[in-house]
Each structure stands twice: as C-alpha cells, then as structure tokens.
Amino acid sequence: MDVELLVQKLLEKYGYMLTREEVAEVLNISISTVDRKRKQYPKLFPPFKKIGTGNRAPVKFPVHGVAQYLVQIQ
C-alpha cells in the first residue's frame, strides 16, 4: 500500500497524532507490546513524542511515522 494513501486513511480516522491505544489498534497488537517495542527498538518502531516530562507523560505518534512503519513491515 502507498504511504500517502495510508496517511490519508489514518488522518480521517485518528487525526494527526495517534495515542498508544490507537497505535495498538492500527498495528493489531496490545498496548503493552507498543510500550515494549517503543523502548526496546526506538529506531525501528514509529517515532513518538512525549507530551510533557516524567515517566507518566502521554506519548503520541505522528500519523506519517505510523504509516511509514506499516508500509515497511508489510
């Protein structure tokens, strides 16, 4: 699938940034797997941004990074 087409579909459903829960839904994995992969493979998993500081700060994933990751793993 084309990255731009996937970006459009993700934008329509989720907006510009996805939460951990939404990424888990898109990738069909659990939230704990999202957290584990994010920490173990930071360069292979979609890029993310922490909103705030501290261990409990929410994490958001830009839609373009998630789309590129999906195309890459297919």
Side-chain angles (χ1 to χ4, degrees), residues 2-12 15 63-65 67-68:
D2 182 49
V3 173
E4 290 305 315
L5 178 63
L6 193 53
V7 166
Q8 284 297 79
K9 288 183 178 190
L10 290 172
L11 280 173
E12 288 173 10
V63 72
H64 288 314
Q68 287 175 342

Side-chain angles (χ1 to χ4, degrees), residues 2-27:
D2 182 49
V3 173
E4 290 305 315
L5 178 63
L6 193 53
V7 166
Q8 284 297 79
K9 288 183 178 190
L10 290 172
L11 280 173
E12 288 173 10
K13 186 167 183 180
Y14 300 105
Y16 289 99
M17 300 288 271
L18 283 79
T19 64
R20 295 168 36 240
E21 294 83 2
E22 292 167 340
V23 169
E25 179 182 318
V26 169
L27 299 179

